[in-house]
Amino acid sequence: MKILVCIKQVPDMESRFKPNGSGVWFEETDLAFRMNEYDEYAVEQAVRLKEQLGDAHEVTVLSIGPDRVVEAIKKALAMGCDRGVHVQDPAASLKDPWQIAAIIAAYARDKGFDLIFTGMQSQDRGSAQVGVTVAEDLGLPCTTTLVGFAYDNGTITAKRELEGGVKGVVRVKTPALVTCQLGLNVPRYPTLPNIMKAKKKEIEAIPVGDLLREEARTATASFHPPAKKGGGIVLEGEVGALVDQLVGILKDKTAVLR
Amino acid sequence: MKALLIGEYREGKLLDTTYELCGFAAQLGGESAMLLVGSEGQLPDYGGTLYLADAAACGEYNPDLHKKLILETVARENPDYVVFVHSSYGWDLAPRVAAALKAAQVSEIVALADGGFEVGCCNAKMRRTVKPATSKAVLTIQAGAFPVTRPGGTPRVERLAAEGSGTLEFVGYEPAEAKGVDLTRAEVIVSAGRGVGKKENVPVIAALAKALGGELGASRPVVDAGWVDHSHQVGTTGQTVSPKLYVACGISGAIQHLAGMKKSDFIVAINKDKDAPIGEVADVLVVADVLQFAPALTARLAK
Ligand SMILES: Cc1cc2nc3c(=O)[nH]c(=O)nc-3n(C[C@H](O)[C@H](O)[C@H](O)COP(=O)(O)OP(=O)(O)OC[C@H]3O[C@@H](n4cnc5c(N)ncnc54)[C@H](O)[C@@H]3O)c2cc1C
């Protein structure tokens, strides 16, 4: 079985964001980057599937972006993926979800993957489009938002998470694509021996120009902070003083403290 | 301008989010039509044209078939926009429709913007203004961002036949896990988020909840990591609460968490990040390390 996992590298969400020179995305200097949280579940599930099926089965991890994304690929390799693909694109952040999906589909089209895993969305863009669009482009069945995954003899039994904690159980035959939701599994931490082993694994580099033929279907006009609704009080300072201030406010404004 | 609204129906019920689509359409202006895979017995309060397919025959989750029904309707109505709620139904189906129409998709719209749409990004910390570059566009709207609007009237129903199967087999629903704690009745809820750092720190938050006479709540990552049981989770995939006081400890304020608690009477957030989006809904944002602040507050309340 051939498995593909698609991952994105995103900034730490606790960072401060400000527009870059283009005005349509964030300034990258001073940001720390990591693997998109949703994709960590995708990588973990792919590696678990390989462990279930045996070593003859291969997991490829793909990421699109500037050179820094190789770090995310290396982490996935250290978690147990077999080989990496880096689609080199310094301007990936200017591509829309349709173009990102088209790049992945162009790479995967003639490779005969039996199963493709993606995160359900990225933490920075959050469009939740790429996985499903790749599947449509490749003509693969697809289901999304997985919090449960089981594979047996060509059939996936997936649990989709719906609103209010209800789950929908879906069966689908491979080849297929699934998108992973938070909590699908507990992603492993790479161990030191596995990090060392990962250094020997191949990372193929492909210039994005070899894969992308599509024009963007949306344009970003601006990137900006939300308009502050205001109203809320912000308390800053030394802890003891903060406690006094908050207790005062709670006594004043709520019936909870007397 | 014309919008085709894709209504929502699950477990035999028309969902209220359908009326958020009407609220969006009202802001958009122009005409609308609606498509619903639902049932004759539960027609929406909507006076326009309703394309109706029978969920019992089509399946509630059968994206291949639902996509086909939408494409048929698009061919008849020729709308400028096909609009979904950004929900487990909408985000699953919208990209399939966009791909088939070779149309732009704009996801999780929170507001209309000059010539385009405003969407959230970077975990709700920032916004983008996005414009479709194709003549038709597929849109999904953020749940809760547009007012629930019941246009009233009786729809003019156009029945759609359900033909064909799909590549997915829907086996059935699994109910949400039994609620061990009914947070909806609590007057005070103190919730732990990922900012509490580790499982060993959860008792610090539980102690504050106790000192305030309330219950312990939690954000999703805290539940996923097994620090707190799922029955304490607040948010779209947990419980929706509106206590007199909600204290968010080390919670960033993602939309899915806010959806579960923003109707609380009074909201206090404790966060070391002054820009955390929880500040948007908080009445008081205490900028502090929660592991220092929470025990200090607990001690003060014990006096
Ligand atoms: C379909 C779907 C459904 C979802 N359903 C839910 C749901 O029901 N409920 C839910 O909560 N989430 C849900 N989520 C997840 C949601 O998007 C967020 O990922 C989640 O709410 C983030 O939790 P958090 O705020 O605890 O963690 P983070 O976003 O990681 O935030 C941690 C916060 O803690 C602060 N912090 C860190 N250290 C400290 C410290 N020492 N002192 C003070 N502050 C500190 C940081 O500044 C940050 O703001 C859902 C997501 C999806 C896609």
Side-chain angles (χ1 to χ4, degrees):
Chain A
M1 185 159 178
K2 283 180 76 178
I3 303 164
L4 176 68
V5 199
C6 307
I7 65 170
K8 181 175 184 180
Q9 197 193 38
V10 297
D12 190 323
M13 288 301 139
E14 292 180 21
S15 321
R16 292 195 84 137
F17 296 98
K18 52 177 196 284
N20 64 11
S22 74
V24 299
W25 199 228
F26 49 72
E27 176 58 54
E28 286 200 4
T29 34
D30 302 334
L31 295 184
F33 283 83
R34 56 193 296 282
M35 195 191 302
N36 178 40
E37 206 179 345
Y38 297 84
D39 303 342
E40 287 186 13
Y41 295 94
V43 170
E44 176 65 30
Q45 205 60 49
V47 172
R48 284 189 191 186
L49 181 57
K50 179 192 157 97
E51 288 168 347
Q52 174 191 334
L53 297 175
D55 270 345
H57 303 265
E58 190 188 58
V59 183
T60 302
V61 55
L62 174 147
S63 190
I64 304 168
D67 288 342
R68 59 168 162 73
V69 309
V70 170
E71 284 313 307
I73 295 175
K74 281 185 183 158
K75 177 169 181 189
L77 294 175
M79 285 172 76
C81 294
D82 299 294
R83 47 191 301 276
V85 174
H86 173 205
V87 179
Q88 297 169 307
D89 185 5
S93 66
L94 298 174
K95 307 274 185 302
D96 77 345
W98 157 249
Q99 289 177 300
I100 297 293
I103 294 167
I104 297 170
Y107 169 77
R109 195 168 320 272
D110 55 358
K111 303 279 190 308
F113 289 110
D114 301 283
L115 186 51
I116 303 178
F117 290 93
T118 72
M120 73 153 287
Q121 63 180 5
S122 62
Q123 290 174 281
D124 54 358
R125 281 267 187 147
S127 77
Q129 294 176 27
V130 172
V132 184
T133 310
V134 170
E136 289 295 305
D137 207 350
L138 295 174
L140 293 176
C142 159
T143 186
T144 62
T145 336
L146 265 60
V147 288
F149 175 93
Y151 173 85
D152 185 36
N153 196 20
T155 300
I156 297 161
T157 303
K159 277 189 197 169
R160 302 189 66 223
E161 187 179 50
L162 313 177
E163 288 69 24
V166 178
K167 297 182 183 86
V169 182
V170 179
R171 274 197 212 109
V172 52
K173 289 201 163 53
T174 55
L177 183 148
V178 296
T179 80
C180 304
Q181 162 67 323
L182 307 171
L184 170 60
N185 50 46
V186 181
R188 69 195 68 192
Y189 289 104
T191 60
L192 193 57
N194 285 340
I195 293 172
M196 299 314 288
K197 257 195 353 219
K199 290 197 172 93
K200 297 199 195 75
K201 293 180 182 172
E202 177 206 348
I203 301 179
E204 182 190 357
I206 306 176
V208 68
D210 293 0
L211 296 172
L212 181 63
R213 300 278 171 274
E214 300 290 334
E215 296 290 326
R217 291 178 176 171
T218 57
T220 304
S222 91
F223 175 82
H224 51 269
K228 286 272 174 246
K229 290 193 201 79
I233 307 168
V234 179
L235 301 179
E236 287 179 274
E238 181 267 322
V239 168
L242 290 176
V243 167
D244 289 340
Q245 288 174 49
L246 182 63
V247 169
I249 293 171
L250 291 180
K251 281 191 173 149
D252 219 31
K253 297 269 170 68
T254 74
V256 171
L257 289 190
R258 271 164 291 261
Chain B
M1 194 186 326
K2 192 191 255 184
L4 175 64
L5 314 176
I6 311 299
E8 298 212 314
Y9 182 91
R10 204 175 78 205
E11 294 187 88
K13 288 197 194 72
L14 177 71
L15 301 187
D16 260 355
T17 44
T18 303
Y19 296 111
E20 296 181 20
L21 294 165
C22 298
F24 176 75
Q27 288 189 15
L28 208 53
E31 298 173 67
S32 75
M34 189 183 282
L35 182 150
L36 180 70
V37 182
S39 76
E40 198 80 42
Q42 291 194 52
L43 297 180
D45 290 336
Y46 174 79
T49 305
L50 176 72
Y51 291 84
L52 183 71
D54 184 12
C58 300
E60 292 182 4
Y61 181 69
N62 185 342
D64 296 322
L65 192 50
H66 290 208
K67 175 176 84 175
K68 197 170 144 237
L69 295 169
I70 293 170
L71 294 177
E72 270 173 45
T73 308
V74 168
R76 286 167 69 172
E77 286 285 326
N78 195 25
D80 303 283
Y81 297 122
V82 182
V83 193
F84 297 81
V85 179
H86 197 72
S87 64
S88 60
Y89 180 70
W91 68 59
D92 188 273
L93 197 48
R96 306 179 199 252
V97 173
L101 294 173
K102 299 193 183 338
Q105 182 182 335
V106 183
S107 297
E108 211 171 2
I109 294 167
V110 297
L112 301 183
D114 191 20
F117 303 99
E118 189 92 343
V119 305
C121 59
C122 299
N123 239 3
K125 277 190 158 178
M126 300 296 287
R127 295 259 197 277
R128 288 190 307 136
T129 307
V130 184
K131 299 182 178 179
T134 54
S135 59
K136 283 192 194 328
V138 170
L139 312 176
T140 69
I141 60 167
Q142 185 175 83
F146 293 90
V148 173
T149 306
R150 293 173 180 266
T154 309
R156 203 164 55 74
V157 177
E158 295 272 345
R159 282 174 193 78
L160 298 174
E163 272 157 33
S165 54
T167 51
L168 305 179
E169 178 199 346
F170 185 70
V171 183
Y173 293 104
E174 244 179 45
E177 283 167 54
K179 294 184 173 80
V181 227
D182 186 2
L183 293 178
T184 58
R185 286 161 180 276
E187 298 212 327
V188 177
I189 297 171
V190 181
S191 288
R194 182 149 45 195
V196 305
K198 54 182 179 197
K199 188 173 186 173
E200 289 67 31
N201 293 335
V202 173
V204 173
I205 309 304
L208 177 58
K210 190 147 180 271
L212 284 165
E215 297 279 357
L216 177 70
S219 72
R220 177 173 181 138
V222 166
V223 170
D224 285 342
W227 302 352
V228 172
D229 187 70
H230 179 267
S231 59
H232 294 265
Q233 184 179 313
V234 173
T236 39
T237 47
Q239 300 189 53
T240 301
V241 301
S242 50
K244 291 197 171 121
L245 174 63
Y246 189 90
V247 185
C249 301
I251 293 178
S252 62
I255 173 66
Q256 296 89 355
H257 190 81
L258 299 188
M261 47 64 75
K262 69 180 177 199
K263 298 218 171 85
S264 306
D265 292 347
F266 200 83
I267 299 171
V268 175
I270 305 160
N271 202 304
K272 62 175 190 189
D273 178 4
K274 197 178 166 179
D275 294 329
I278 190 86
E280 289 287 307
V281 299
D283 296 284
V284 181
L285 171 64
V286 180
V287 184
D289 181 342
V290 70
L291 297 175
Q292 290 176 6
F293 184 82
L297 180 58
T298 307
R300 167 73 198 269
L301 293 170
K303 274 190 204 150

